[in-house]
Amino acid sequence: MNLRYLLFATAVSVTTALFSSSPDSGTRSLIQNSHARDVVNLDGTWKIIIDPFENGYYDYRLVPTDALYAQDKDLTDPTKLQEYEFESDRSLNVPGDWNTQMDQLYYYEGTVWYRKRFNYNPDSTKRQFLNFDGANYSSIVWLNGQRLGSHRGGYTPFCFEVTDLLKDGENSIVVKVDNKRQPNGVPTVNSDWWNYGGLTRSVTLQEAPSTFISDYRLTLAPGLTDAIGGYIILDGAEKGGRQFTVKIPELKGEITGVTDSDGRGEFIIKKKPQLWNPESPKLYDVWLSIADDEIKDRIGFRTLTADGTKILLNGKEIFCRGISIHEEAPYPGGRGWSREHAETLLDWAQDLGCNFVRLAHYPHNENTVKAAEERGIMVWSEIPVYWTIHWEDADTYANAEQQLTDMISRDKNRCNVMVWSIANETPVSDARNIFLGSLAKKARELDSTRLIGAAMEKHEVAPGVLTVDDPLSEIIDLMSFNEYVGWYDGTNEKCDSVNWTFTVKKPVFVSEFGGGAKYGYHGRATTLFTEENQEDLYRRQIGMLERIPGLAGCTPWILKDFRSPRRQLRGIQNDYNRKGLISEQGQKKKAFYVLRDWYEKLRGARK
Ligand code: GCB
């Protein structure tokens, strides 16, 4: 440990005490495996009001008192002037971004009000929860005119308890969704992806008994492969001293226990599961129950460690043949959300020979993580701490930590998640080091069974000698970084001559490299944006990657062309970042086959 590390570590612990992470008012902590409890799916058509001047929320003094549009009124009383009405206004599909559903909203950044009426007869012996899988970026929710709470962050789920607030018969939900970029937001105002707004993921109503299983976790018991350990957490008035059972029928494993006064119970099942790995992605049915509640999940077990420059999965070295992916629907584009979208993207990744995907730059929807788990694809999951977040703003930190916590909480039982990534390309500074040091610490506290990563940046220490000179590399588990030799850094030929050196001995992971090409645009390998230029870049990059000492994996940028307002070249980019190996129409570019050949070779060599 060098002096710089010591200074860094001290700074980190001081900051943790200063920053506090407080969830937005009204939201409750996530319910584990919440969709197992769905009773009403609220997806489909929602009425909307587009409100760029926020007339529905602020009064004329710009004071947020009235929240006028939260009242779902119809124009039934001709004596009362009312200048809005959901019923006669327009509609959007949920889930779905608004930008690609309505031409007028393509570049829109502001507030849209959503309204859904639905019939329901609540069971008075049960508790009800209203769950949003994701909405970008800030949301405020009302049920039957009553404010439930708010949430910020575009890619994590949130939920409200609505027991006693639902009526017999027709109910009405109003949601104000605002995707205006915020300087102190996470992400901040500048990013290289489209700021898709709206209720971008599913909305559901869920039901549970008065005391229910709100959370649980199962993993291999620390250091063992023949015992499964975990915990269960109950929520409700009778959570303490309750008997619970955990069963894994295929292993003939069963255990009962009793919760403590906080409703928490721990257990160990002495059984040896077949371990999950990409070649054989074994998952087990797991049942957790108390007298009047039961929940089923499918869970896999594996060990994951870093040993020097190696990543060891179940004790065996594994090379991550990866690709980066944005959460965009393959067809017809826009924000992706469905199982079908996920399956198509993952089909393409597997066709490329991947056993690993980097889900950039924010937590993707659960369908993607689960579909990947079933297929044996390892995952890098990330929060949108991107570029130049406001490092010194305690509220920005609280927001980032909340997003990290929710990402880990939602996916902690998904054994294919290998890396929690806390940041992407964040320039080194004292304030940034403190911020990310605290996030890394938090991630470790929440989950010690994954590697902590971040996409760092590279530096040229001497002509032709590249390294990563970032104190964060001493804190996280991977020497993970974005390079772009041949694209942002020199021409393709540069890849042939540069060499890499690292002082910190950790698994080296190239989290991004690549270059743009428009599908069908052909020419010389030296002409930018031709498929030949990208193909040539990939050939030379692979040559360079093979010379990187300790390389444990890579996730080139990127599987598919994706929308970004930074990409203005008309005729070539047309609002698309063209670094995809596949076009937005699903056509494979020449470079796709270069990477596929390499992955095929690596796969053969390491089998
Ligand atoms: C990067 C960023 C990524 C961009 C990419 C690019 O380094 O991490 O979000 O999209 O470069 O294409 O410039």
Side-chain angles (χ1 to χ4, degrees), residues 145-258:
Q146 183 165 335
R147 184 180 161 128
L148 299 178
S150 63
H151 180 263
R152 63 184 174 180
Y155 309 97
T156 39
F158 52 101
C159 143
F160 306 96
E161 177 150 15
V162 292
T163 314
D164 302 330
L165 298 176
L166 289 159
K167 294 189 296 199
D168 252 333
E170 193 174 75
N171 289 271
S172 167
I173 303 172
V174 171
V175 190
K176 174 185 186 299
V177 186
D178 181 359
N179 73 334
K180 273 193 290 300
R181 285 164 295 133
Q182 310 288 340
N184 71 343
V186 182
T188 180
V189 288
N190 200 8
S191 67
D192 187 22
W193 69 89
W194 208 261
N195 182 22
Y196 291 118
L199 293 176
T200 49
R201 295 183 188 163
S202 282
V203 185
T204 45
L205 185 67
Q206 298 162 353
E207 218 172 57
S210 56
T211 294
F212 70 101
I213 301 166
S214 61
D215 198 7
Y216 56 86
R217 177 154 197 205
L218 280 89
T219 55
L220 285 174
L224 302 175
T225 53
D226 58 356
I228 294 164
Y231 63 79
I232 184 170
I233 294 179
L234 307 185
D235 181 317
E238 287 157 26
K239 64 187 180 186
R242 290 288 294 268
Q243 183 169 316
F244 65 88
T245 305
V246 183
K247 280 187 205 162
I248 309 179
E250 202 182 329
L251 289 173
K252 299 193 174 52
E254 176 166 345
I255 189 101
T256 57
V258 175

Side-chain angles (χ1 to χ4, degrees), residues 483-498 513-516 524-544 547:
E483 35 109 348
Y484 282 100
V485 180
W487 186 258
Y488 295 123
D489 178 11
T491 56
N492 294 359
E493 290 75 29
K494 182 163 183 184
C495 301
D496 304 342
S497 58
V498 292
F513 72 84
R524 289 210 298 256
T526 47
T527 307
L528 290 178
F529 292 105
T530 59
E531 283 194 52
E532 285 72 14
N533 180 264
Q534 190 190 39
E535 179 189 39
D536 181 62
L537 174 67
Y538 267 73
R539 283 219 178 89
R540 293 173 196 267
Q541 270 281 345
I542 288 167
M544 185 191 78
R547 295 197 308 278

Side-chain angles (χ1 to χ4, degrees), residues 192 361 386 424-425 482 484 488 512 557 567 577 579:
D192 187 22
H361 283 299
Y386 185 90
N424 181 77
E425 285 186 0
N482 300 346
Y484 282 100
Y488 295 123
E512 282 179 38
W557 196 253
R567 309 300 167 178
N577 182 314
K579 295 189 189 71

Side-chain angles (χ1 to χ4, degrees), residues 77-95:
D77 182 353
T79 64
K80 285 204 181 117
L81 176 63
Q82 183 185 322
E83 295 184 79
Y84 77 94
E85 188 194 43
F86 283 101
E87 199 53 28
S88 54
D89 212 314
R90 290 152 287 186
S91 309
L92 284 173
N93 285 325
V94 173

Side-chain angles (χ1 to χ4, degrees), residues 2 4-5 8-9 12 380 385 391 420-441 444 452-457 459 468-481 504 506:
N2 64 27
R4 188 172 61 164
Y5 176 71
F8 190 4
V12 166
W380 161 309
V385 172
W391 306 114
W420 299 128
S421 169
I422 56 171
N424 181 77
E425 285 186 0
T426 50
V428 175
S429 71
D430 287 349
R432 168 271 198 188
N433 296 349
I434 289 168
F435 188 111
L436 293 185
S438 295
L439 274 188
K441 185 165 177 278
R444 271 216 184 88
I452 310 298
M456 297 182 285
E457 296 181 289
H459 303 92
V468 173
D469 179 23
D470 185 333
L472 188 63
S473 65
E474 300 180 46
I475 302 278
I476 59 177
D477 298 313
L478 295 173
M479 178 58 78
S480 40
F481 57 91
V504 179
K506 295 198 174 166

